Amino acid sequence: MKVEFFKHNLDEDDIRRLAEACRGVMLTTGAEVKSFEEHFAAYLGLPHAVGVTSCTAALHLALLACGIGEGAEVITTPMTFVATSNAVLYTGARPVFVDVDPVTALIDPRRIEAAITARTRAILPVHLYGQMCDMRAIRAIADRHGLKVVEDCAHAIESARDGVRPGALGDAACFSFYATKNITSGEGGAVATRSAEIAGRVRTLRQHGMSTSAGDRYARTYSHWDMETLGWKYNMTNLSAAMLQGQLDRIETLWLSRERISAEYERAFDTAGVGFPRVVGGAKSARHLFTIWVDPARRDEALMQLQQQGVGIAVNYRAVHLLTYYARRFGFARGMFPIAERIGDSTITLPLYAKLTAPEIAHVIDVVTRLAT
Ligand SMILES: Cc1ncc(COP(=O)(O)O)c(C=O)c1O
């Protein structure tokens, strides 16, 4: 049996909507993007969402819109994808890593204050695997020190924790619609925020810093545009927006399937003594990724065996500070963030998506539990 690592959920209606968008005049940012932005903001319960080309772009622009730049330090986690800390580097700021909680793999708020210096300007928590960080604790620390909070919600559209949803306490929340995400347009992203000012800045910065977009110019009689600030080319297209709309309507049903599969994995792995990050009480995980923790000495061999037995796998993630560029540029070494390092050396991500069948789930459980014994 071959169990794919991921299958997307685009259905025939989504494909029809995409085809309709292709038949229209405006392939780039236009009415469909505006409609998706409103739809997405309403789903999150936030007033503003701005569609961009990726979560990497969303993080870059959200940080810039929060005033982060040259000379600043941004506190984040080493247990994440490189996009998180790379976006900090794009702004000219420096990422400052703080170790994670050994139970959840999320940034440990108890360690954040010790990392704050006179140059710290923001905290960038990552809601890893779909579970939100303790945003009440992080917001309180940020407020005590006058810092911005930009949330990496690449894994966390459907999440909540202690009644808090993505973007509710942060200054900006950044989302991904990359190929393997819970809803996807192949590539895509969004910034959602309570702040009209931050949304406005992101809107300008996603389009070269220009005062109007092509869609605006198409909809009106011609008037000259200006460029008041240096921006980037990160605007979402109508084609991406068209693919996302129907998936957003079905997002809770899709989530429920992954929640049930995760519960089945958790029951089986608890019985077999296989470790995995825990979802804390009071949290709704978006259930984006399901990772297990195996003996670091046997992890790479276990990856091979899973693949040989037809189970699609990934590694999310090896600790960022130990990757060559970060280690060389900043002098990071083993031992600096030992919990993230141990998790990075132990982790294996298993298939988790709504289309997994009962025999496929049983096969994954069977192969993993046989590895463990
Ligand atoms: C935690 C995290 N942050 C950011 C990103 C970047 O997302 P994108 O590929 O949309 O730029 C990813 C992508 O996988 C991610 O997993």
Side-chain angles (χ1 to χ4, degrees), residues 242-287:
M243 276 190 259
L244 291 165
Q245 298 263 28
Q247 293 178 78
L248 187 52
D249 287 333
R250 302 193 300 280
I251 195 165
E252 289 298 318
T253 315
L254 295 168
W255 169 80
L256 196 58
S257 304
R258 295 193 310 279
E259 173 69 8
R260 289 198 180 117
I261 297 163
S262 302
E264 208 173 325
Y265 280 163
E266 288 188 349
R267 266 193 308 276
F269 299 152
D270 259 338
T271 308
V274 177
F276 52 87
R278 302 285 163 163
V279 177
V280 300
K284 173 190 176 189
S285 169
R287 296 295 193 181

Side-chain angles (χ1 to χ4, degrees), residues 5 53 65 133 204 210 249 351:
F5 178 68
T53 45
C133 301
T204 306
M210 289 163 65
D249 287 333

Side-chain angles (χ1 to χ4, degrees), residues 294-303 305 348 370-373:
V294 303
D295 176 355
R298 294 182 50 209
R299 194 268 304 275
D300 289 0
E301 184 198 321
L303 286 171
Q305 288 184 9
I348 298 178
R370 274 191 290 113
L371 272 182
T373 50

